[in-house]
Amino acid sequence: SVQGTYRGFTLTATISVVSVKTIEISVTTQTLTVGQKTQATAVLRDKDGAIITGPVVTWRSLDEDVASVSSSGVVTGLKPGVAQIFAYAEQRFSPNITITVIPPQ
């Protein structure tokens, strides 16, 4: 906690640091047709396994030509192939998820 005194008044503030221990990600579908979109979601947990909300989650695709992923986790199939996506927050990384993009029918 942090304490401060001003003109005889003492204030105490308790600061709790929440740290992300693990990130689990999932998508509605791992196979997309070119042009199709799916929503990826991330669940952040602390060292006790409790779900944390608040830290900013950043999304990345390891092959942006095959599948892109927006800042809000929307994955878009761009061309046939395989891409890995992942999320990170507070220097913790999720496992990769494989997205397979197939040609339009």
Side-chain angles (χ1 to χ4, degrees):
S1 67
V2 177
Q3 231 177 32
T5 304
Y6 178 72
R7 293 190 175 178
F9 294 97
T10 301
L11 297 174
T12 303
T14 302
I15 300 168
S16 56
V17 177
V18 177
S19 181
V20 175
K21 178 72 174 165
T22 61
I23 304 174
E24 304 154 14
I25 62 171
S26 59
V27 290
T28 313
T29 179
Q30 287 184 245
T31 302
L32 299 174
T33 304
V34 171
Q36 188 181 6
K37 297 179 188 297
T38 188
Q39 178 68 54
T41 55
V43 176
L44 311 179
R45 294 186 186 274
D46 67 13
K47 64 180 175 46
D48 299 320
I51 293 176
I52 305 169
T53 58
V56 174
V57 174
T58 303
W59 292 93
R60 289 284 180 261
S61 169
L62 294 177
D63 194 337
E64 289 279 345
D65 291 342
V66 173
S68 66
V69 58
S70 74
S71 59
S72 60
V74 176
V75 182
T76 304
L78 300 176
K79 75 174 191 183
V82 175
Q84 302 282 323
I85 65 162
F86 67 95
Y88 63 93
E90 294 185 352
Q91 289 132 24
R92 296 286 183 181
F93 291 82
S94 72
N96 293 348
I97 287 185
T98 300
I99 302 294
T100 303
V101 181
I102 58 174
Q105 303 302 333

